[in-house]
Amino acid sequence: MKQPIRCIALLLALATPAAFGKATPEEAAKLGGELTAVGAVKAGNADGSIPEWAGKSAFSEKMLTMTRSDLEKLRTNLPKDLEKNLPKGTRFAEIVKQAQELLNQGKGPEAADLILKYQPSYVKDFITYKVYGKDPAEFVKPLYIVTKANLPQYGKYLTEGHKALFKTYPTYRMVVYPTVRNAFFPDEIYAATKKNATSASLTGTDKVEGAELGFPFPIPKGGAEPLWNHKLKFRGSAVQRYNNQAIVKPDGSFKITKLVEDVLFVYANLKDRSMAKTGSPMIAYYLSETKEPPRVAGQFTLVHEKIGPGVEARSAWIYSPGLGRVNRAPDVGFDNPAIGTDGEQFYDQVDVFNGALERYSYKLIGRKEVLIPYNSWILNSPTFKYADIMRPGHMNQDFCRYELHRVWVVEATLAPGQRHQLKKRTFYLDEDSWSIAAVDGYDNRDQLWKFQEAHLLTIPFIPTVSGIPETIYDLQTKRYFLTTMTNEDPVSNFEIKYDEKTFSPAALQRRASKR
């Protein structure tokens, strides 16, 4: 009888998803010590190319306390500021051209000086960091430029996606600057994260329990946990933003799709904790309205994002002006193409990755030093138009900022019996913020197909870390998709307040009917 009992016990163990996540008290005690409050290694690397974590200390009090009104005033006064700063009769586009010529001559620091000279003062302030005992001017001068010619020298610091872009486009390059580890979050998030370290668990890929407000897994034990840290990170309590998107053809031509997005965060909400304290599985409410182009204007997408399983992980509705009513939308997720992207963005590629994790198996590879986009304030400057950012084949790399950072590497492989157009994904998550910075996406022939990149920046007045813009390179069609561009629009309203009732299907129907 003993042998059958052992077999039954083994079968039951295999059939029950393992629970991971909880750190030991000894491990959790390291948070805020040798580890930062969110689990990053506080110290720099051996050769100093990655410095110690600086966090909030990298920003002045002025940067920390900026309001939306302050920022919007600076943005609207920009034409006058530029007129005062630029040489008479010169347009900023001409400055951009001069800087590109300097970069082509290998004069990276001179190009950086030229661009910075004519930036509005607040953009300069965001990137002249007073940290590490260095002259702030050092942080705005490139260290080196990675090109196809010197690729072997820096290959060990590149994602497979970056290597593919170098192979595909002779004009592709990466301008690398000194690393500044300035990611930080509110103190309430830090305190909650420390509690979560010993209380939160993950069963299977989607059942998170025992976590509240902060990062659930600052000391991850399995591959799915870093992705949950990304999904549940603090992003502010609510936001309304313009989201400009474009599919860029191989010849560089593009058309803009403009969305206005309303988001109410439930899990990581500091302004109204009552929403999450009820034990609700809700993560966030999301509502988008398409403004342009005219053929899709007036379309709304409503999403209720939840923690599963045991609940419906995502509920979604769509309002189409042609139908005139709100309908349930069961296909807003996974590898279904997002509306208006012509198949270049799947729904689960929004925010680099979102939604249920259930279709993949996850392996935690560990930490690695990688060049990723970081502190991308120049790229997001209102001095640039969207046409300045887009080039044939790839973004205008001359004004992207790369830094060497430690990242967590997670490998996701399609689980048996599941389907997805991406058979395998390799995620690279910034260790200081748990933000996904890059993803290598492979098709069902095991060929590298879609490479995603998020240009990270720490937004000190919220505070959070976000990817603006995000890019998806299609290595087969030679097109790429840009999203979350904000250069030409008002500053996102991170001070807005919403009621949960705003995000009901009935409220959507009423709002759409009044248009």
Side-chain angles (χ1 to χ4, degrees):
M1 289 292 292
K2 288 183 179 178
Q3 189 64 31
I5 289 173
R6 287 196 191 99
C7 291
I8 291 169
L10 178 60
L11 288 170
L12 286 171
L14 292 172
T16 305
F20 297 100
K22 292 184 181 180
T24 65
E26 293 76 20
E27 289 173 322
K30 296 177 181 179
L31 296 172
E34 65 182 84
L35 300 180
T36 70
V38 302
V41 175
K42 188 177 286 186
N45 64 358
D47 65 7
S49 55
I50 297 176
E52 67 180 13
W53 175 71
K56 186 177 181 178
S57 67
F59 297 97
S60 68
E61 187 63 23
K62 180 183 176 182
M63 297 294 100
L64 296 170
T65 57
M66 270 196 164
T67 65
R68 181 179 185 270
S69 176
D70 294 334
L71 290 161
E72 189 59 18
K73 192 180 295 183
L74 290 164
R75 186 187 72 86
T76 53
N77 287 337
L78 181 63
K80 291 181 182 177
D81 291 344
L82 286 178
E83 191 176 320
K84 282 187 273 184
N85 293 334
L86 288 170
K88 192 171 182 180
T90 303
R91 294 180 300 112
F92 187 75
E94 294 173 44
I95 300 298
V96 171
K97 187 176 179 181
Q98 291 173 31
Q100 288 174 326
E101 289 172 354
L102 287 168
L103 280 165
N104 290 336
Q105 297 166 23
K107 299 178 180 179
E110 292 88 342
D113 282 343
L114 183 61
I115 286 294
L116 187 64
K117 181 179 178 181
Y118 299 107
Q119 289 298 323
S121 59
Y122 74 96
V123 174
K124 294 179 184 179
D125 289 342
F126 278 126
I127 56 173
T128 50
Y129 304 109
K130 298 182 174 107
V131 287
Y132 310 131
K134 294 183 178 180
D135 180 348
E138 291 186 41
F139 297 112
V140 297
K141 296 183 185 298
L143 294 172
Y144 54 89
I145 300 174
V146 183
T147 65
K148 196 169 185 177
N150 63 13
L151 194 59
Q153 184 179 349
Y154 301 106
K156 65 179 180 179
Y157 300 122
L158 301 181
T159 67
E160 293 305 311
H162 284 128
K163 292 175 186 176
L165 289 172
F166 276 109
K167 183 178 179 181
T168 306
Y169 303 109
T171 53
Y172 188 80
R173 58 186 167 194
M174 298 167 71
V175 185
V176 181
Y177 290 79
T179 300
V180 183
R181 295 176 61 193
N182 54 13
F184 77 101
F185 297 90
D187 290 340
E188 298 95 323
I189 299 298
Y190 291 155
T193 298
K194 190 156 190 175
K195 289 181 181 178
N196 290 342
T198 54
S199 66
S201 65
L202 177 63
T203 302
T205 59
D206 288 276
K207 189 175 183 180
V208 178
E209 295 179 295
E212 184 179 336
L213 185 63
F215 292 96
F217 308 112
I219 303 174
K221 306 293 185 180
E225 292 166 17
L227 298 184
W228 273 105
N229 287 338
H230 170 83
K231 278 161 56 83
L232 297 179
K233 73 176 179 180
F234 177 77
R235 306 159 190 266
S237 297
V239 67
Q240 181 181 69
R241 73 170 182 178
Y242 284 91
N243 176 359
N244 293 278
Q245 306 181 153
I247 299 167
V248 186
K249 296 179 180 179
D251 63 2
S253 62
F254 65 91
K255 288 184 178 179
I256 293 290
T257 297
K258 186 183 295 291
L259 308 176
V260 176
E261 300 171 319
D262 302 307
V263 188
L264 174 60
F265 299 102
V266 177
Y267 173 84
N269 188 310
L270 290 178
K271 292 182 179 177
D272 185 358
R273 293 302 302 135
S274 64
M275 290 188 295
K277 283 182 178 177
T278 60
S280 165
M282 191 69 68
I283 297 172
Y285 297 102
Y286 169 89
L287 177 62
S288 72
E289 179 184 1
T290 305
K291 295 287 191 179
E292 298 175 15
R295 63 181 176 81
V296 289
Q299 182 161 292
F300 289 83
T301 301
L302 172 65
V303 175
H304 293 182
E305 193 73 8
K306 307 168 193 173
I307 296 174
V311 297
E312 185 180 21
R314 171 172 291 166
S315 304
W317 297 262
I318 287 179
Y319 173 87
S320 171
L323 295 175
R325 64 178 183 271
V326 174
N327 291 322
R328 283 297 298 265
D331 57 352
V332 177
F334 299 110
D335 59 348
N336 292 298
I339 292 170
T341 68
D342 198 24
E344 293 299 351
Q345 184 187 46
F346 301 141
Y347 273 116
D348 69 3
Q349 291 178 305
V350 175
D351 189 36
V352 195
F353 179 81
N354 75 94
L357 282 71
E358 63 190 34
R359 296 194 179 182
Y360 292 87
S361 299
Y362 300 87
K363 182 180 180 182
L364 185 62
I365 305 299
R367 287 185 174 93
K368 184 179 180 181
E369 295 179 5
V370 176
L371 287 170
I372 57 175
Y374 220 95
N375 290 309
S376 302
W377 285 101
I378 288 287
L379 180 61
N380 286 283
S381 170
T383 53
F384 294 123
K385 302 297 183 184
Y386 298 133
D388 296 324
I389 295 172
M390 300 175 220
R391 290 290 181 270
H394 54 77
M395 287 180 64
N396 188 336
Q397 288 295 113
D398 296 337
F399 307 111
C400 299
R401 179 187 178 108
Y402 289 84
E403 298 179 1
L404 187 66
H405 283 259
R406 277 189 298 252
V407 301
W408 284 99
V409 182
V410 173
E411 192 173 276
T413 306
L414 198 60
Q418 297 285 357
R419 58 158 299 279
H420 197 289
Q421 293 186 63
L422 291 173
K423 180 181 177 182
K424 176 184 166 184
R425 287 160 145 164
T426 303
F427 294 91
Y428 304 86
L429 298 93
D430 168 39
E431 74 160 344
D432 291 323
S433 68
W434 295 105
S435 300
I436 302 173
V439 187
D440 301 326
Y442 296 82
D443 64 17
N444 284 291
R445 301 170 299 167
D446 298 314
Q447 299 294 310
L448 187 58
W449 174 22
K450 289 180 182 282
F451 173 60
Q452 296 171 255
E453 191 175 50
H455 291 259
L456 302 181
L457 70 170
T458 300
I459 306 172
F461 41 83
I462 291 180
T464 189
V465 176
S466 188
I468 312 173
E470 298 171 19
T471 314
I472 303 175
Y473 289 102
D474 188 325
L475 296 165
Q476 295 175 6
T477 67
K478 304 298 189 292
R479 301 192 302 181
Y480 63 98
F481 177 73
L482 269 170
T483 183
T484 71
M485 293 185 292
T486 62
N487 305 67
E488 296 182 25
D489 280 294
V491 174
S492 295
N493 188 350
F494 51 89
E495 297 167 351
I496 199 166
K497 295 181 180 179
Y498 293 112
D499 187 285
E500 288 180 273
K501 295 176 183 176
T502 305
F503 298 90
S504 70
L508 171 56
Q509 182 70 58
R510 289 192 296 271
R511 175 176 166 178
S513 299
K514 291 177 182 178
R515 292 186 72 259

